[in-house]
């Protein structure tokens, strides 16, 4: 049987974490309330982190904690206490970018595995090996690397060193993450998890002697998005990554919604089970289709096949999607599906169900009732309890969807 790479999913809160577990992640990476690179996410306090780890371990899933900011001196003073308390929760690894954090972890908690963050900028085998010699069990490779460089790093480093790469999600215009735009424009430091996504803004040229006159750079009448990267998608090329020696396939998205985590994790789980199972098979078409269902920018393969041309840039700031969430399944009983509403829907709507490890189920809403069992024509109150007729059982946590409205 082919050894399967790890599927590593993101989670910015417990709702996303639960979805990652339910929809097939082998490991989940999360951030604490401090020292992580996603300050906008809800993140995890130590008590919640411990609960999350317990739930994950009960399913054989690992949990990695991001401690990947570049800490100031005063923050290093409290780093030993932070790492000790985090480790007490049972985490399976710490993802770090700063050499001081790495050495502190190795000295203080030598039993806790260390993963070197993509922000360490690993683009060659010498750096990867040096990090392994420092105690890193895994390096998250820089996103600028083509496949042939990954293969060379694999060939010229200790075979025990694990290699992790991003396969899906948003790409920073600074690629490996050391960006100064947000700090310059807004005072929000991207290297400390507070990125304002300045690269996604509209830009024009202004000529010194023509103040107040804005000249398009060349994209369209609304401005240019030359700094605005498309989203990465490597699902059709996972076999090539595997052959290059990648250990872990990482999905970006700790600031994304529970639906994004569920849908993308489910799709990659199906793809990997098909490709790396006992009887390897092509990626199911429904898994490829699911990549379009969640909100995303147009897709690119980034740098994996060499230096990209303009196709890596997104010509607008808009997202695309084909579906929207209308409810979360609470339970199924006696031919009825009980859901908690998220967006309005109506009797007669054509809908679909996203369930773990299977293609979407399509049907029409019939016999719609409110939480008291009274017939209704519309579920139009946020978070309301409601139910509808459905013959087949559905697991708790399945996601009810309909076509996205313009």
């Amino acid at each position: 049987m082919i050894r399967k790479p790890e599927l590593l999913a993101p989670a910015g809160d417990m709702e996303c974490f639960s979805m990652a577990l339910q929809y097939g992640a082998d490991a989940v990476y999360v951030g604490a309330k401090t020292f992580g690179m996603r300050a906008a996410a809800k993140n995890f306090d130590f008590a919640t982190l411990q609960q999350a780890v317990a739930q994950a371990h009960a399913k054989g899933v690992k949990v990695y904690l991001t401690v990947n900011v570049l800490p100031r001196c005063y923050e290093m003073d409290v780093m030993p206490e932070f790492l000790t308390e985090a480790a007490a929760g049972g985490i399976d690894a710490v993802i770090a970018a700063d050499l001081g954090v790495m050495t502190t972890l190795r000295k203080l908690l030598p039993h806790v595995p260390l993963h070197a963050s993509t922000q360490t900028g690993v683009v060659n085998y010498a750096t990867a090996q040096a990090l392994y010699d420092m105690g890193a069990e895994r390096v998250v490779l820089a996103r600028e690397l083509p496949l042939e460089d990954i293969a060379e790093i694999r060939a010229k480093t200790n075979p025990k060193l694990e290699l992790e790469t991003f396969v899906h999600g948003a790409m920073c215009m600074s690629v490996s993450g050391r960006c100064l735009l947000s700090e310059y424009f807004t005072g929000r430091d991207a290297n400390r998890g507070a990125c304002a996504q300045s690269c996604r803004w509209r830009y024009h040229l202004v000529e010194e002697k023509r103040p107040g006159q804005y000249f398009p750079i060349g994209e369209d009448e609304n401005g240019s998005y030359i700094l605005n990267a498309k989203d990465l998608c490597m699902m059709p090329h996972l076999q090539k990554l595997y052959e290059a020696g990648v250990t872990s396939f990482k999905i970006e998205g700790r600031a994304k919604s529970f639906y994004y985590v569920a849908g993308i994790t489910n799709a990659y789980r199906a793809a990997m089970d098909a490709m790396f199972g006992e009887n390897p098979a092509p990626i199911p078409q429904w898994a490829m289709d699911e990549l379009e269902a969640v909100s995303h920018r147009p897709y690119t393969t980034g740098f994996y096949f060499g230096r990209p041309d303009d196709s890596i840039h997104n010509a607008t700031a808009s997202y695309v999607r084909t579906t929207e969430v209308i409810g979360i399944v609470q339970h199924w009983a006696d031919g009825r599906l009980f859901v908690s509403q998220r967006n309005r829907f109506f009797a007669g709507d054509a809908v679909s169900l996203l369930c773990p490890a299977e293609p979407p189920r399509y049907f029409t809403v019939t016999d719609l009732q409110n939480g008291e069992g009274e017939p209704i024509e519309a579920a139009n109150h946020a978070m309301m309890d409601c139910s509808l007729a459905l013959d087949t059982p559905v697991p708790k946590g399945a996601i009810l969807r309909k076509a996205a409205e313009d």
Side-chain angles (χ1 to χ4, degrees):
M1 182 175 66
I2 299 175
R3 174 188 59 80
K4 289 184 182 179
E6 174 186 83
L7 177 58
L8 177 55
D13 57 28
M14 275 300 293
E15 186 173 37
C16 292
F17 190 89
S18 296
M19 290 295 179
L21 294 186
Q22 183 170 1
Y23 283 86
D26 297 312
V28 186
Y29 64 105
V30 303
K33 293 294 186 180
T34 54
F35 301 131
M37 284 295 291
R38 290 294 183 273
K42 292 181 180 179
N43 294 314
F44 293 71
D45 57 32
F46 288 124
T48 307
L49 178 62
Q50 189 172 21
Q51 295 171 11
V53 170
Q55 291 179 20
H57 287 179
K59 298 191 68 170
V61 175
K62 294 183 178 181
V63 180
Y64 307 144
L65 180 68
T66 60
V67 190
N68 53 350
V69 298
L70 305 180
R72 303 292 194 266
C73 290
Y74 71 92
E75 291 173 311
M76 285 306 301
D77 292 340
V78 299
M79 187 60 68
E81 180 182 357
F82 172 86
L83 291 173
T84 299
E85 192 163 1
I91 55 174
D92 296 285
V94 166
I95 305 171
D98 181 78
L99 292 178
V101 175
M102 292 181 189
T103 54
T104 299
L105 180 70
R106 289 280 55 82
K107 292 177 181 178
L108 184 67
L109 301 162
H111 64 286
V112 177
L114 167 64
H115 295 177
S117 168
T118 189
Q119 288 191 282
T120 56
V122 178
V123 295
N124 61 68
Y125 57 83
T127 303
Q129 183 63 47
L131 288 165
Y132 178 78
D133 294 340
M134 290 176 55
E137 293 189 4
R138 177 184 296 186
V139 294
V140 188
L141 297 175
R143 301 191 209 188
E144 300 94 326
L145 287 177
L147 283 168
E148 54 264 31
D149 285 11
I150 296 174
E152 186 171 2
I153 290 171
R154 176 68 289 161
K156 294 182 177 179
T157 54
N158 192 302
K160 293 182 180 179
L161 175 65
E162 298 177 352
L163 303 182
E164 178 180 308
T165 60
F166 284 89
V167 296
H168 198 94
M171 297 207 306
C172 174
M173 58 79 62
S174 196
V175 191
S176 285
R178 298 290 183 94
C179 181
L180 301 177
L181 286 179
S182 179
E183 172 77 7
Y184 178 79
F185 284 125
T186 69
R188 291 169 53 180
D189 191 346
N191 297 306
R192 296 170 61 75
C195 181
Q197 296 202 9
S198 306
C199 59
R200 312 288 182 188
W201 299 350
R202 297 176 178 177
Y203 289 91
H204 287 71
L205 285 174
V206 177
E207 201 278 324
E208 181 179 8
K209 295 181 180 180
R210 295 173 175 80
Q213 297 184 46
Y214 301 97
F215 301 94
I217 297 173
E219 293 292 346
D220 58 33
E221 68 276 9
N222 295 317
S224 172
Y225 297 89
I226 58 174
L227 303 177
N228 184 19
K230 293 180 179 179
D231 282 0
L232 179 67
C233 178
M234 285 293 288
M235 181 182 284
H237 310 290
L238 295 180
Q239 183 66 39
K240 293 182 176 68
L241 286 169
Y242 174 79
E243 291 170 355
V246 175
T247 306
S248 178
F249 294 160
K250 186 172 192 173
I251 298 169
E252 181 277 337
R254 283 197 296 120
K256 297 291 182 66
S257 69
F258 70 85
Y259 179 39
Y260 178 93
V261 173
I264 298 300
T265 301
N266 197 48
Y268 273 83
R269 177 78 278 152
M272 291 170 65
D273 286 349
M275 297 176 69
F276 305 111
E278 292 186 6
N279 299 301
I283 297 172
Q285 184 58 48
W286 71 263
M288 293 294 301
D289 294 341
E290 281 297 304
L291 302 182
E292 302 297 329
V294 301
S295 180
H296 65 282
R297 302 177 186 91
Y299 287 130
T300 177
T301 55
F303 291 80
Y304 281 114
F305 297 102
R307 184 175 179 82
D309 55 21
D310 289 342
S311 64
I312 199 171
H313 302 304
N314 191 14
T316 74
S318 63
Y319 288 78
V320 292
R321 59 180 174 144
T322 60
T323 65
E324 64 179 359
V325 177
I326 57 175
I328 306 299
V329 173
Q330 301 303 302
H331 68 281
W332 178 94
D334 300 324
R336 296 202 65 80
L337 186 67
F338 295 83
V339 303
S340 175
Q341 187 258 30
R342 291 295 185 270
N343 285 293
R344 66 176 185 171
F345 64 98
F346 302 86
D349 277 350
V351 298
S352 65
L353 272 168
L354 177 66
C355 301
E358 65 176 63
R361 307 182 195 179
Y362 297 91
F363 61 98
T364 299
V365 175
T366 58
D367 192 14
L368 185 60
Q369 299 178 4
N370 62 20
E372 287 71 44
E374 301 167 336
I376 55 175
E377 290 299 315
N380 54 5
H381 300 293
M383 306 297 288
M384 70 177 290
D385 293 327
C386 54
S387 68
L388 53 135
L390 189 65
D391 291 339
T392 56
V394 177
K396 180 179 179 180
I399 298 173
L400 188 64
R401 316 177 295 186
K402 70 176 183 178
E405 298 180 358
D406 294 334

